[in-house]
Amino acid sequence: MAHYTGPKARINRRFCAKKDEQYVNIFESNGAVKATSRRPFAPGMARPRGRKSVYGQSLAEKQKIKYYYGISERQLRKLYAIATRQKGNTGDNLKVLCERRLDNVLRRAGVCRTRPQARQGVAHRHFVVNGQPTDVASFSVRPGDVITIHNDKLREMYKEIFASVGSNVTIPWLSVDPETLTITITSLPMADDFTLPVEIGLVVEFLSR
């Protein structure tokens, strides 16, 4: 699932959820977003009836996180294992670890339109972390890390994206220089910075089996 290539609109419709009276889309491509707004219910000839079992609910919540962040089952379980070893609430720790992924940071900063686009940019070494080019989208950022763009040509391309996506976005734990598109991690994200509506307790319960 780390490289999901299937129909994104179906995933959006299956897992569509509201937060602050707005639908939160798993995939942010134009077609997938329009599909959710037009038909905000699960795809298929017949709509689901009845209530899901606890197992079904837990599985659905886990799948949301995997699709949203573009991570595999193995990667999610690795993050869960790290979260259980950290102090504090395991669910909150898991949220923070997901938010600290490099591809997610680039999306939250507004340098990329979607997380898949950010992941592709990282894979092609468009971004430099602390002076070192990296192609690891799962790189976990820390306070004080500085992310820059590899060269001027790429910077101009990402400036156009930033102008339409991120210029009016403020993320408390990120600082973005609009001229150079330099991203500085000012602090660790909090669990409240996790924007996906998900019952994290069900996810923790599922992964703890």
Side-chain angles (χ1 to χ4, degrees):
M1 187 177 293
H3 300 286
Y4 177 75
T5 57
K8 295 180 175 62
R10 291 179 66 86
I11 300 301
N12 274 9
R13 291 176 58 200
R14 180 175 299 158
F15 296 116
C16 65
K18 274 191 174 182
K19 184 176 182 180
D20 299 330
E21 299 305 316
Q22 291 185 338
Y23 286 108
V24 176
N25 293 287
I26 303 296
F27 292 105
E28 299 169 301
S29 58
N30 290 335
V33 172
K34 288 179 181 177
T36 309
S37 60
R38 285 199 298 260
R39 294 184 287 180
F41 48 83
M45 294 294 291
R47 298 189 189 182
R49 287 186 176 183
R51 189 175 180 179
K52 288 182 180 179
S53 64
V54 174
Y55 177 86
Q57 294 176 41
S58 301
L59 179 62
E61 297 301 296
K62 177 180 71 77
Q63 295 293 85
K64 279 186 191 179
I65 295 178
K66 289 172 63 177
Y67 282 116
Y68 191 70
Y69 288 99
I71 57 180
S72 65
E73 181 77 17
R74 182 177 180 180
Q75 287 174 316
L76 181 59
R77 290 189 176 275
K78 183 178 179 180
L79 291 176
Y80 170 74
I82 296 172
T84 57
R85 295 195 296 267
Q86 295 176 336
K87 294 181 180 179
N89 182 277
T90 300
D92 289 346
N93 293 341
L94 182 59
K95 287 181 177 181
V96 171
L97 288 170
C98 289
E99 282 293 299
R100 289 173 60 186
R101 285 175 54 93
L102 178 58
D103 53 356
N104 178 71
V105 170
L106 295 170
R107 170 63 189 92
R108 295 298 302 276
V111 174
C112 298
R113 287 191 176 88
T114 65
R115 286 173 182 80
Q117 183 186 52
R119 194 155 50 249
Q120 184 181 47
V122 174
H124 289 285
R125 291 177 172 261
H126 289 182
F127 302 96
V128 178
V129 181
N130 299 330
Q132 296 293 326
T134 180
D135 59 358
V136 182
S138 61
F139 179 89
S140 188
V141 300
R142 297 179 180 182
D145 284 352
V146 177
I147 305 166
T148 56
I149 298 176
H150 191 266
N151 57 50
D152 292 338
K153 185 177 180 180
L154 289 171
R155 189 176 296 110
E156 290 304 314
M157 179 186 75
Y158 285 109
K159 270 188 177 182
E160 293 181 9
I161 298 173
F162 182 77
S164 62
V165 176
S167 56
N168 296 320
V169 176
T170 301
I171 306 298
W173 51 283
L174 298 177
S175 174
V176 184
D177 184 334
E179 292 300 321
T180 62
L181 293 189
T182 298
I183 305 169
T184 304
I185 313 301
T186 57
S187 64
L188 286 178
M190 305 294 289
D192 292 340
D193 294 315
F194 191 86
T195 56
L196 177 67
V198 65
E199 291 289 339
I200 197 65
L202 293 177
V203 178
V204 171
E205 181 182 347
F206 186 97
L207 296 174
S208 64
R209 298 178 181 180

